[in-house]
Amino acid sequence: MSGNRTYYVTTPIYYVNDVPHIGHAYTTLACDVLARFKRLDGCDVHFLTGTDEHGQKIETAAAAAGLPPQAFTDKVSQSFRDLIGVMNYSPDNFIRTTEPRHYAACQALWKKLVAAGDIYEGKYAGWYSVRDETYFVEGETAVGPDNKRRATSTGAEVQWVEEPSYFFRLSAWADRLIAFYEKNPAFIGPDSRRNEVLSFVKGGLQDLSVSRTSFSWGIPVPGDEKHIMYVWLDALTNYITECGYPDQNAPLWKYWPANLHMVGKDIIRFHCVFWPAFLMAADLPPPQRVFAHGWWTNEGQKISKSLGNVIDPVELVKTYGLDQVRYFLLREVPFGNDGDFSRRALIGRMNADLANAYGNLCQRVLSIVAKNCGEKVPPRGELMEADTALLDRAKGLLAIVRAELDEQAFHKALTSIWEVIADANRYVDAQAPWALAKTDPVRRDTVLWVLAETIRRVTLLVQPFMPDATAKILEQLAVPPEKRVFAAFDHELVSGTALPPPQGVFPRFIEPAAPAAPAKPPKQPKAPKQPKVAG
């Protein structure tokens, strides 16, 4: 892989009307794994996350908190920054839409759209969801059992809005968008979302209201400051703000177009319809790919604040461990599908996949090496068919994992790796190096070398998913930092290299015992009946 290849991956910028939850952690984790993998694979990576801080919903939430909007966004934006450390993410920058450079980029894009003839002034009358910051046509809303009109797609309450507005000529872009999708079939993933977007666009597009006058917390429209920009035009622009727009000679402009925008399925329309139309109208290339993942439920229930079942990633990490949570979130559910979060499933993965399969393989192999090989990498003797079969599977993993991650198939990548871990565990049992220690020490050493080398290759590929745990395993194999990149994937362990004492990395998780019920007080003897006294 050429070190000159750029790779730009972005999370959606998170709306700061509340604190981060498992959905935010999930999206950023997926981007973090891709960024780490691509860096290890020799790419020049730029990984961006940040916060979306304008709009009516923010203005309302700030008022409810008794704070000015800027002070409110400062506070909540910090909670998203804090999550970076909790989850061990590795972004190259954190962008906020309240930054002056972002105001400049948005206003420059607006002027470009006006000059292209794609923005005109008019009046908006229709349904608007403050929660979704989205406009809906009549057919996309319905009156619910509570007699409130709601968006049928999201369940959010909508209100009738009439106000002066600028419009983007989205209706003129339907044919050009369809042509773009057909020319770039990988632009939208997974396929179910691509079909959804195609259906929406083929159903006809209406011009999009792109300014508001009924509130003031946002970026002013150039030349008409009674209007502020529609929050989605503002928010989407962050991806090019980061690259230096409108200065296409800026150092970071080399990263545009982005290789991947990672989003939740609820915001795919903004990223796959509005955003490419805005960009093409401004004579800019759209991103190469947008991938929309699914939603989590909690033990079978939809997650909501009203049910009190919001999953706090900080609490998960404190309870179960950082790398364990990172592994589970990307292994448990096919990425792109909806999935159910279950603590029982998390503990099951921790104990079966991490403690029993991977951790036990590392611990017992390195313990036998320490005991029998003088705490050094054992000699590599003559390889037998069983040895080359295992080594070949481990060697082939890089190409497999690279291809799966380019499709955002995190679960498939991890499944492929764990299949080789299972092969290695079966190989240990079949070769029984503890028995060979007495009967054939030369063969024992070869078996142990094959196992140590397999662990090295597997661990190199697990690094993006579990960086802390894998660093400990690679230290126990005496693999120096410069040999932990994929350019060194085929640099086999050198026999005779001194090894540190082995230590367990993935302990089994034992659920704390439920507190014992308080002992019942002993029954008091009944008082003897008093004899009746004749009156």
Side-chain angles (χ1 to χ4, degrees), residues 114-137:
V114 170
D118 280 293
I119 285 183
Y120 65 92
E121 192 172 3
K123 180 181 178 182
Y124 178 77
W127 297 104
Y128 186 76
S129 162
V130 174
R131 191 189 81 182
D132 297 335
E133 299 284 10
T134 307
Y135 302 99
F136 293 98
V137 298

Side-chain angles (χ1 to χ4, degrees), residues 9 25-35 89 262 293 330 335 410:
V9 59
Y26 186 52
T27 314
T28 312
L29 173 60
C31 293
D32 182 62
V33 168
L34 290 172
Y89 300 140
M262 185 73 78
H293 63 73
L330 293 180
F335 197 74
F410 300 95

Side-chain angles (χ1 to χ4, degrees), residues 258-272:
N259 296 78
L260 178 69
H261 291 330
M262 185 73 78
V263 300
K265 66 179 184 179
D266 54 323
I267 55 174
I268 193 163
R269 188 180 298 180
F270 305 106
H271 284 80
C272 295

Side-chain angles (χ1 to χ4, degrees), residues 475-507:
E475 285 165 12
Q476 293 180 48
L477 289 168
V479 178
E482 68 273 14
K483 296 286 187 181
R484 298 180 189 182
V485 295
F486 299 155
F489 191 71
D490 292 329
H491 296 188
E492 296 177 337
L493 289 171
V494 177
S495 298
T497 303
L499 299 177
Q503 295 179 336
V505 174
F506 295 110

Side-chain angles (χ1 to χ4, degrees), residues 320 328 342-352 509 511:
Y320 300 105
F328 173 79
S342 155
R343 290 177 187 261
R344 184 179 296 107
L346 171 55
I347 294 167
R349 290 280 181 200
M350 290 169 63
N351 288 339
F509 184 85
E511 290 189 78

Side-chain angles (χ1 to χ4, degrees), residues 103-314:
Y103 276 63
C106 288
Q107 292 184 328
L109 180 64
W110 181 280
K111 290 175 183 176
K112 189 83 172 177
L113 297 178
V114 170
D118 280 293
I119 285 183
Y120 65 92
E121 192 172 3
K123 180 181 178 182
Y124 178 77
W127 297 104
Y128 186 76
S129 162
V130 174
R131 191 189 81 182
D132 297 335
E133 299 284 10
T134 307
Y135 302 99
F136 293 98
V137 298
E138 188 77 25
E140 295 175 316
T141 69
V143 177
D146 56 0
N147 290 320
K148 292 181 179 178
R149 184 170 289 274
R150 297 182 179 276
T152 51
S153 57
T154 68
E157 188 176 348
V158 295
Q159 59 190 29
W160 186 260
V161 173
E162 292 188 22
E163 59 183 331
S165 179
Y166 287 91
F167 288 82
F168 175 75
R169 296 185 195 277
L170 188 63
S171 60
W173 283 91
D175 290 344
R176 284 175 281 187
L177 284 169
I178 291 167
F180 173 74
Y181 302 147
E182 290 174 350
K183 186 178 178 182
N184 300 277
F187 174 64
I188 306 170
D191 287 344
S192 59
R193 303 293 163 224
R194 183 174 188 273
N195 296 337
E196 175 189 322
V197 169
L198 269 169
S199 176
F200 173 73
V201 176
K202 287 179 178 178
L205 297 176
Q206 295 189 343
D207 288 354
L208 179 67
S209 172
V210 289
S211 75
R212 302 292 304 276
T213 57
S214 55
F215 62 97
S216 60
W217 182 241
I219 297 177
V221 166
D224 192 351
E225 297 198 353
K226 296 189 301 293
H227 291 253
I228 60 163
M229 292 184 197
Y230 173 44
V231 70
W232 273 104
L233 176 56
D234 165 358
L236 291 161
T237 304
N238 92 90
Y239 304 126
I240 55 174
T241 298
E242 175 66 5
C243 295
Y245 188 80
D247 180 6
Q248 297 185 31
N249 293 313
L252 296 185
W253 191 255
K254 65 179 178 176
Y255 294 110
W256 192 261
N259 296 78
L260 178 69
H261 291 330
M262 185 73 78
V263 300
K265 66 179 184 179
D266 54 323
I267 55 174
I268 193 163
R269 188 180 298 180
F270 305 106
H271 284 80
C272 295
V273 181
F274 301 172
W275 185 223
F278 294 157
L279 288 166
M280 290 190 284
D283 200 26
L284 294 171
Q288 294 179 19
R289 183 166 169 83
V290 178
F291 191 96
H293 63 73
W295 290 339
W296 285 95
T297 52
N298 186 353
E299 308 282 356
Q301 280 192 312
K302 183 179 178 180
I303 295 174
S304 74
K305 287 173 69 176
S306 60
L307 291 174
N309 66 347
V310 174
I311 302 169
D312 177 8
V314 178

Side-chain angles (χ1 to χ4, degrees), residues 429-481:
D429 294 336
Q431 300 298 323
W434 50 87
L436 289 171
K438 298 175 183 177
T439 61
D440 190 346
V442 173
R443 175 65 189 153
R444 172 207 65 197
D445 289 350
T446 299
V447 166
L448 292 172
W449 183 89
V450 168
L451 284 164
E453 173 61 16
T454 299
I455 292 170
R456 182 190 71 88
R457 289 182 186 262
V458 161
T459 304
L460 288 178
L461 293 173
V462 179
Q463 287 180 99
F465 297 90
M466 295 188 285
D468 290 348
T470 50
K472 292 174 184 175
I473 294 168
L474 292 170
E475 285 165 12
Q476 293 180 48
L477 289 168
V479 178

